[in-house]
Amino acid sequence: MRHAPRFGVLLALVSVLFITQVAVAQSPRDDSQPPFGEEVEVTEVLLDVLVTDRGGRVILDLGVADFVVEENGETVDLTGVSFYSNRRLIDHDAETSQPADRYFILFFHDQARNGGTLGSALLRRQLEAGRGARDWVQSGMTGGDWVAVVSWDTSLQVHSDFTQNRAQLSMAIDHAIEGRTETNQWPSRREAPAADTPSLLAELPPGKALSDETETMYDALSQVAEATGKLSGRKSLMLFTAGFGEVTPIAVGTRGDPRFYPETKEALNDYNVAVYPLDLVPANLENLQSSFLTQLANDTGGRYWDNVVNYQSPLERIADENSGYYLLSYQSRHPSGESGFQEVDVDTVNPEFRVRARRGYSFGDETD
């Protein structure tokens, strides 16, 4: 099922905003000829872009002339560039940047069902990942950070809604790595979020519907992405996993399951969720799922972390590089009445900079 995107109230921070106008493309004609032409929809596109140096430090003070954005191989003309940052991490001129809360989702792919020797090793790594996540929560969160904790085994579990309470998050991480089944998905057990507090649970299906609609990891990722739709700005999903891709029939490696992955990729892009897979396979072993995990990260503007020794370190790096991002705006035209997913390539003029950005956006009316 396709998910129709929803967008936050603060339009300046929305990843992809659709402002549709109808125009008629006409050729010169004399007045005796009947009108003809093609209707097109003009879409205002807003894309968030991370720009860092090779050490992961955010690059400041970029403008329209510093970016190259292409659709279908054709360069588009940017109409604006704005910079948003967490002022606690970046000392930047308030006149040229906007403050922004940050949203992080710790997503644990439970390895309890993996058997054999590797299964035991994955469970040990899961415990290590939990310890690293707890350490990051205690030392790496800032005052403007909201963190949620979820897991998936055979269905999605929400162990903690978005919160800034470190003790609550540490307990939720313990529940996630233990594979605990939570009862908060049932309407009678859900607490209404406080005013101005972000919430995943409030936007997820209630009761048994949540289990029914998250039978695969792809479904779970899509549901989490959709549940963040009312939150403005970029969301970072730290995915602790050994992989869940489909083995390719030709070469050794994996890819996203073609039955599910395209819609999951579009949902993550539409709702501005960047995935950062953190590999649970022991650092001394090769993970054949690395090709798919790399694809998942690249398609959503995240980064794949393999050969992890201490999980706190990549979490700190992810938080640092998300301390500031650029919002690019431009207009795109599509034939009226059509809908689909438009791929976008974003780069900077300076080849030394590293760029993380969405791979595209949905346009037109979304239908099942």
Side-chain angles (χ1 to χ4, degrees):
M1 180 179 72
R2 296 295 302 275
H3 301 283
R6 298 168 302 188
F7 302 96
V9 175
L10 300 179
L11 297 184
L13 283 174
V14 182
S15 171
V16 180
L17 172 67
F18 304 103
I19 303 176
T20 302
Q21 303 171 337
V22 177
V24 178
Q26 292 186 331
S27 300
R29 62 177 178 83
D30 62 48
D31 293 338
S32 64
Q33 298 297 320
F36 65 95
E38 178 186 21
E39 288 189 346
V40 298
E41 293 183 351
V42 180
T43 303
E44 180 75 7
V45 181
L46 301 180
L47 296 175
D48 70 292
V49 180
L50 294 183
V51 185
T52 63
D53 62 16
R54 294 185 181 277
R57 292 176 289 271
V58 177
I59 301 297
L60 306 178
D61 300 320
L62 299 182
V64 169
D66 296 298
F67 291 94
V68 179
V69 180
E70 295 182 347
E71 288 190 0
N72 304 322
E74 298 291 332
T75 302
V76 301
D77 294 326
L78 297 181
T79 56
V81 172
S82 301
F83 183 73
Y84 294 84
S85 70
N86 183 319
R87 288 182 183 173
R88 301 163 190 83
L89 298 181
I90 291 185
D91 183 15
H92 195 56
D93 187 349
E95 294 183 359
T96 59
S97 67
Q98 301 292 332
D101 285 348
R102 302 189 301 177
Y103 304 98
F104 300 102
I105 302 166
L106 300 175
F107 193 129
F108 291 86
H109 180 192
D110 192 1
Q111 303 299 306
R113 294 179 182 271
N114 283 309
T117 304
L118 186 58
S120 300
L122 291 177
L123 284 177
R124 288 195 297 270
R125 293 282 283 175
Q126 186 166 293
L127 292 174
E128 294 172 8
R131 182 165 57 250
R134 287 193 300 270
D135 290 343
W136 173 75
V137 162
Q138 295 303 320
S139 63
M141 286 180 60
T142 69
D145 292 345
W146 296 92
V147 181
V149 181
V150 304
S151 70
W152 185 88
D153 177 10
T154 58
S155 63
L156 183 69
Q157 300 291 326
V158 180
H159 304 284
S160 174
D161 209 340
F162 280 115
T163 183
Q164 297 176 328
N165 186 316
R166 289 177 171 83
Q168 178 180 328
L169 289 169
S170 293
M171 182 180 298
I173 292 169
D174 289 340
H175 289 184
I177 63 178
E178 293 168 4
R180 181 173 300 193
T181 299
E182 305 288 356
T183 60
N184 56 12
Q185 70 188 60
W186 302 98
S188 61
R189 299 292 184 92
R190 289 187 178 183
E191 297 182 3
D196 300 324
T197 299
S199 175
L200 281 179
L201 275 173
E203 305 301 324
L204 286 169
K208 189 174 181 296
L210 181 60
S211 297
D212 292 341
E213 296 187 27
T214 57
E215 293 181 347
T216 70
M217 270 288 289
Y218 300 98
D219 295 331
L221 288 169
S222 296
Q223 287 291 338
V224 168
E226 184 176 357
T228 68
K230 290 183 178 180
L231 303 178
S232 298
R234 180 181 176 89
K235 282 81 70 171
S236 300
L237 189 151
M238 291 87 144
L239 177 61
F240 301 91
T241 183
F244 52 97
E246 179 191 55
V247 177
T248 59
I250 300 176
V252 177
T254 51
R255 63 179 180 182
D257 191 319
R259 296 172 297 172
F260 310 114
Y261 182 64
E263 290 191 4
T264 298
K265 180 182 73 172
E266 291 182 22
L268 292 165
N269 276 271
D270 284 343
Y271 298 110
N272 200 15
V273 177
V275 181
Y276 292 83
L278 293 98
D279 205 334
L280 291 178
V281 171
N284 61 332
L285 298 178
E286 180 184 3
N287 186 357
L288 297 180
Q289 292 276 340
S290 61
S291 56
F292 169 55
L293 296 178
T294 300
Q295 177 189 10
L296 176 60
N298 291 341
D299 283 346
T300 60
R303 175 182 175 184
Y304 168 47
W305 292 85
D306 62 348
N307 297 313
V308 180
V309 177
N310 179 350
Y311 285 94
Q312 183 181 358
S313 296
L315 292 176
E316 291 175 345
R317 289 285 299 276
I318 293 167
D320 286 346
E321 75 173 27
N322 278 277
S323 59
Y325 65 90
Y326 291 89
L327 194 70
L328 313 184
S329 63
Y330 66 93
Q331 290 188 339
S332 183
R333 290 168 171 76
H334 300 280
S336 180
E338 291 190 5
S339 62
F341 185 78
Q342 175 63 57
E343 294 190 354
V344 179
D345 293 317
V346 183
D347 207 344
T348 56
V349 174
N350 189 330
E352 297 297 317
F353 295 160
R354 292 188 173 181
V355 177
R356 304 192 196 285
R358 294 288 167 269
R359 286 301 178 94
Y361 61 91
S362 295
F363 63 91
D365 295 328
E366 296 292 337
T367 57
D368 289 346

